[in-house]
Amino acid sequence: MKAIVHKGKDGLEGLSIQDMKAPSVSSNEVKVKVKAAGLNRRDLAVVTKRHKAEDPALIPGSDAAGIVEEVGEDVTRFSVGDEVIVNPGLGWKERSEAPPEGFEIVGLPYHGTFAEYYTCTEDHVEKKPDHLSFEEAAVLPLAALTAYRALFSRGDLSEGQTVMLPGIGSGVLTYALLFAKARGARVIVTSRSEEKLNKALELGADVAISTSSDWTEELEGEQVDLLLESIGQATFEKSLGIIRKGGTIVTFGATTEDQVSINIRSFFYGQYKLIGSTMGSAEELRAMLAYVAEHDIKPQLDQMFRMDQYQEAFQYLQNSKNFGKIGFIID
């Protein structure tokens, strides 16, 4: 089978298209003919952090949608021909405060989804939402699950609250915008890009301001109930300054420096809540899929690339050119 493979060289230079042995199916597994696969920042991190030339060949990729082509003899949930999506999480079944020991994400250390076929146990695939194309469904799982858990499981967002999304444009934050509006929340976004601010307003954002501006001045003193922080050092102090007393920051990433500093006295006097979040469980994935179906939500799909455009796709993501999700058309 054809696959995007990382081997032999550092970073993006180690990527190539190779012929790999198609995976076989054991008794409790399903074999999915991949139609499309979503590209995430995790995939970029995986290929840029594998620096040893002796590392074995790895097929990256955490997201995919396709058609079940073969099932093991003990499989009961799916049949040949079913349209499915891949659960990017391994070993996290029920919703919990933190992932269990041994939790992994598809695409490292085991082969991922950037290939013509992907095989996994039947409890690691779910039915594809009927209203989504394969391309739309392929870019859904990891980023949408991350947004769903951050907003609802960790952030406890409710109707009428105000949520702020600094750095709008990523897949996670565009999902967060769509999910929050479906819940009836007021949404404030920031970006350094005027184009992305305008696109966010078109997508339903209530207020859009520059990331580099004085947020308190721009918002005329308005404070927010919940803020999703994924930038890190560059915006963290501003994020703390815009949250109402007793409000919540949920952090799930750091596109700038990881280390941040806070005035701990101001923090505890403000009764703020700072909560970490990482992707989500299979239970939350199913809840997210039901939410998407109930509200007829479709991903903000920036563009899809052919497999042989892997360098262009990874560089496009690395340069943060996307507004919403990107991925690969496999078939």
Side-chain angles (χ1 to χ4, degrees), residues 168-190:
I168 191 69
S170 71
V172 175
L173 292 185
T174 52
Y175 283 124
L177 169 55
L178 294 170
F179 292 172
K181 292 306 299 181
R183 181 57 59 93
R186 172 175 166 83
V187 180
I188 301 169
V189 303
T190 85

Side-chain angles (χ1 to χ4, degrees), residues 190-207:
T190 85
S191 176
R192 294 175 297 173
S193 164
E194 191 70 27
E195 181 182 3
K196 289 183 178 181
L197 291 176
N198 289 331
K199 286 182 177 179
L201 289 170
E202 293 173 5
L203 206 59
D206 297 281
V207 179

Side-chain angles (χ1 to χ4, degrees), residues 136-159:
E136 291 168 334
V139 302
L140 186 72
L142 189 148
L145 176 55
T146 301
Y148 186 90
R149 177 173 168 85
L151 277 178
F152 303 130
S153 300
R154 305 297 279 162
D156 199 25
L157 181 69
S158 59
E159 182 179 358

